[in-house]
């Protein structure tokens, strides 16, 4: 291709502009998915709202399916496969949400934000509770191991040498 002529007829230039409230300008994932009317845009917003909430549900469900402690060294193929598939599916949903936001349509953006917020309200406590209990269990196990090795409260007690004698 001759670049000296300055012709870019074979290339499509895409520029990112400001957020818009116009209806019918946003391609939602595929060329055929363009909400061209206000009711179609409203329907797309409802769908994206539920997809955002579903995204938070998937994260809570994935955490619930995780092994009980971070120090659990037993590899369970079935459990790991389920966690991996849930992670892949949740990542795909999150990428679809990202692509919808990248249309720079205010209505789609607000619907996704509200969906994520409602999903966090409904399912976020499971993520926080599971994460906190995993951390707490891991810290308790580390503390018990440290006590067995002779450390108590950040100070060395010499118990390990006493056990050896």
């Amino acid at each position: 291709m001759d670049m000296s002529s300055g012709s870019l007829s074979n290339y499509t230039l895409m520029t990112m502009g400001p957020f818009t409230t116009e209806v019918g300008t946003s391609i939602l994932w595929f060329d055929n998915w363009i909400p061209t009317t206000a009711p179609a845009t409203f329907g797309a917003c409802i769908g994206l709202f539920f997809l955002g909430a579903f995204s938070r549900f998937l994260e809570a469900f994935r955490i619930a399916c995780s092994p009980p402690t971070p120090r659990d060294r037993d590899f369970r193929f079935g459990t790991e496969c389920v966690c991996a598939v849930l992670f892949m599916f949740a990542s795909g949903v999150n990428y679809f949400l990202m692509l919808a936001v990248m249309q720079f349509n205010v209505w789609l953006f607000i619907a996704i934000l509200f969906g994520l917020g409602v999903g966090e309200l409904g399912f976020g406590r499971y993520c926080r509770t599971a994460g906190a209990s995993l951390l707490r269990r891991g810290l308790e196990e580390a503390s018990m191991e440290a006590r067995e090795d002779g450390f108590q409260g950040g100070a060395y007690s010499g118990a390990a040498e006493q056990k050896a004698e």
Side-chain angles (χ1 to χ4, degrees):
M1 178 177 169
D2 183 21
M3 296 299 285
S4 62
S5 66
S7 173
L8 296 174
S9 61
N10 293 338
Y11 296 100
T12 302
L13 296 177
M14 181 177 163
T15 59
M16 293 187 291
F19 275 90
T20 181
T21 57
E22 293 180 26
V23 173
T25 60
S26 300
I27 299 172
L28 194 56
W29 301 315
F30 304 106
D31 287 336
N32 296 335
W33 288 9
I34 303 174
T36 56
T37 63
T41 301
F42 182 73
C45 288
I46 295 294
L48 288 171
F49 171 85
F50 284 114
L51 193 61
F54 183 64
S55 166
R56 298 307 301 150
F57 166 76
L58 285 175
E59 182 65 21
F61 190 64
R62 185 182 69 82
I63 289 174
C65 290
S66 296
T69 63
R71 302 180 71 94
D72 188 9
R73 292 184 179 92
D74 296 336
F75 182 80
R76 295 181 184 98
F77 186 74
T79 303
E80 297 300 329
C81 282
V82 169
C83 288
V85 168
L86 283 172
F87 178 76
M88 290 180 349
F89 189 63
S91 295
V93 168
N94 289 331
Y95 280 122
F96 273 119
L97 290 172
M98 178 199 63
L99 289 172
V101 167
M102 289 178 61
Q103 295 304 311
F104 294 101
N105 185 306
V106 170
W107 309 120
L108 302 180
F109 180 68
I110 290 172
I112 291 169
L113 283 182
F114 276 108
L116 290 171
V118 168
E120 180 66 22
L121 185 65
F123 306 110
R125 66 181 176 275
Y126 299 112
C127 296
R128 289 187 303 274
T129 304
S133 64
L134 286 175
L135 178 62
R136 194 175 315 114
R137 281 189 225 144
L139 290 174
E140 287 171 0
E141 287 177 8
S143 176
M144 288 180 359
E145 288 175 8
R147 281 190 211 120
E148 290 171 1
D149 291 339
F151 291 96
Q152 293 180 349
Y156 182 67
S157 68
E161 282 88 12
Q162 291 172 359
K163 286 182 189 177
E165 294 173 358

Tab-separated table of all heavy atoms in Angstrom, residues 1 10 18 28 52 123-124 134:
chain	number	residue	atom	x	y	z
A	1	MET	N	0.843	-1.187	0.000
A	1	MET	CA	0.000	0.000	0.000
A	1	MET	C	0.878	1.236	0.000
A	1	MET	O	1.838	1.326	0.754
A	1	MET	CB	-0.891	-0.037	1.248
A	1	MET	CG	-1.761	1.163	1.384
A	1	MET	SD	-2.824	0.948	2.824
A	1	MET	CE	-3.442	2.560	2.929
A	10	ASN	N	-8.974	2.551	3.209
A	10	ASN	CA	-9.149	1.173	3.643
A	10	ASN	C	-9.286	1.043	5.157
A	10	ASN	O	-9.501	-0.046	5.661
A	10	ASN	CB	-7.961	0.316	3.187
A	10	ASN	CG	-7.918	0.180	1.683
A	10	ASN	OD1	-8.934	0.349	1.022
A	10	ASN	ND2	-6.747	-0.105	1.159
A	18	PRO	N	-17.324	12.612	23.707
A	18	PRO	CA	-17.905	12.732	25.042
A	18	PRO	C	-19.127	11.820	25.183
A	18	PRO	O	-19.643	11.289	24.205
A	18	PRO	CB	-18.306	14.205	25.108
A	18	PRO	CG	-18.551	14.585	23.686
A	18	PRO	CD	-17.575	13.770	22.871
A	28	LEU	N	-24.607	-1.954	20.479
A	28	LEU	CA	-24.466	-2.734	21.704
A	28	LEU	C	-23.950	-4.121	21.358
A	28	LEU	O	-24.714	-5.039	21.099
A	28	LEU	CB	-25.814	-2.800	22.428
A	28	LEU	CG	-25.797	-3.279	23.858
A	28	LEU	CD1	-24.865	-2.434	24.704
A	28	LEU	CD2	-27.189	-3.258	24.434
A	52	GLY	N	-25.482	-6.268	35.138
A	52	GLY	CA	-24.598	-5.735	36.172
A	52	GLY	C	-24.841	-6.404	37.519
A	52	GLY	O	-23.904	-6.775	38.231
A	123	PHE	N	-25.610	-8.931	46.943
A	123	PHE	CA	-24.679	-10.058	47.016
A	123	PHE	C	-23.307	-9.694	47.572
A	123	PHE	O	-22.502	-10.573	47.843
A	123	PHE	CB	-24.484	-10.672	45.623
A	123	PHE	CG	-25.765	-11.062	44.967
A	123	PHE	CD1	-26.231	-10.365	43.870
A	123	PHE	CD2	-26.522	-12.114	45.455
A	123	PHE	CE1	-27.421	-10.715	43.255
A	123	PHE	CE2	-27.704	-12.470	44.859
A	123	PHE	CZ	-28.163	-11.771	43.754
A	124	GLY	N	-23.016	-8.423	47.735
A	124	GLY	CA	-21.691	-8.005	48.181
A	124	GLY	C	-21.333	-8.500	49.559
A	124	GLY	O	-20.171	-8.795	49.843
A	134	LEU	N	-12.192	-16.022	55.220
A	134	LEU	CA	-10.993	-16.674	54.685
A	134	LEU	C	-9.740	-16.036	55.269
A	134	LEU	O	-8.814	-16.728	55.690
A	134	LEU	CB	-10.957	-16.569	53.159
A	134	LEU	CG	-11.908	-17.461	52.389
A	134	LEU	CD1	-11.814	-17.140	50.896
A	134	LEU	CD2	-11.597	-18.913	52.619
